[in-house]
Amino acid sequence: RRQPRMRLERLFTSLRTEHGTLATLEVLEFDALQLGRSRVLTAPPACKHLIGREYPSLGGAAHDIHQQLYGTGRCDYLVAYESYVTGLGAQHIRALGTSRTPVRRHGERQSFTAYSPFLATTTVQVLREADGHGRWIPVGWLRPLARLATPPRAEEPAARLQARHGGGSPSGYASGQEEGDVLASPASGAHD
């Protein structure tokens, strides 16, 4: 049986600082915990040659952008890149990033990355830019994902899915192919 997933039409994600957005990407292919083929839509002058370029994964695009900006490709892109999301109520916000799954980063060590199985089957809209009616959320916390056009399947209740994978540590849930570091607490990551 397939795991339930947050449902959306398009997935935009941005690297932001306190001074504004540095780069915006569109994740063209996404499924469950995987953030695949991605295109650079906007970038700072140091990365302007990357605009329009497609990558096999969001991680690859983030690596190249970070290499150009900071001299290192190492990046916890599941947290560093945020998506502007509308359609989440207060009860949804409390459920963001509440579960963790182990990942291996460059084969070096095991760490954990957050995701939100309790928001599976929630329909949201991810905007390319903020419109004042949503909030910025780390892109990794939106997982598991499915396109809105994906036909509905018999979805497991989130609580049963969570229980099957050992509560807050669903080790069998992810493929282990995503990269990421330990995240901050959910309350500190999602913001307006």
Side-chain angles (χ1 to χ4, degrees), residues 51-64:
I51 295 174
R53 183 169 175 190
E54 287 190 15
Y55 290 83
S57 70
L58 177 60
H63 174 275
D64 278 7

Side-chain angles (χ1 to χ4, degrees), residues 8-77:
L8 52 114
E9 187 57 39
R10 296 178 77 183
L11 180 57
F12 298 101
T13 189
S14 298
L15 177 62
R16 302 172 53 243
T17 69
E18 61 276 359
H19 303 293
T21 299
L22 291 178
T24 299
L25 295 85
E26 182 175 8
V27 182
L28 303 167
E29 295 176 358
F30 52 87
D31 186 43
L33 298 177
Q34 303 301 312
L35 300 173
R37 190 168 58 95
S38 299
R39 177 184 308 126
V40 179
L41 301 175
T42 66
C47 303
K48 68 180 179 183
H49 62 285
L50 300 178
I51 295 174
R53 183 169 175 190
E54 287 190 15
Y55 290 83
S57 70
L58 177 60
H63 174 275
D64 278 7
I65 290 170
H66 272 71
Q67 186 68 42
Q68 294 293 311
L69 291 176
Y70 307 113
T72 176
R74 219 171 156 93
C75 165
D76 184 1
Y77 67 94

Side-chain angles (χ1 to χ4, degrees), residues 110-157:
Q110 181 169 306
S111 61
F112 293 85
T113 186
Y115 69 110
S116 305
F118 290 108
L119 296 180
T121 72
T122 301
T123 300
V124 298
Q125 184 176 18
V126 176
L127 304 179
R128 184 171 170 171
E129 298 175 1
D131 72 352
H133 299 288
R135 65 178 45 226
W136 290 100
I137 298 170
V139 68
W141 293 11
L142 298 177
R143 301 167 312 140
L145 297 165
R147 288 210 181 267
L148 193 56
T150 303
R153 294 183 168 77
E155 305 284 5
E156 288 183 74

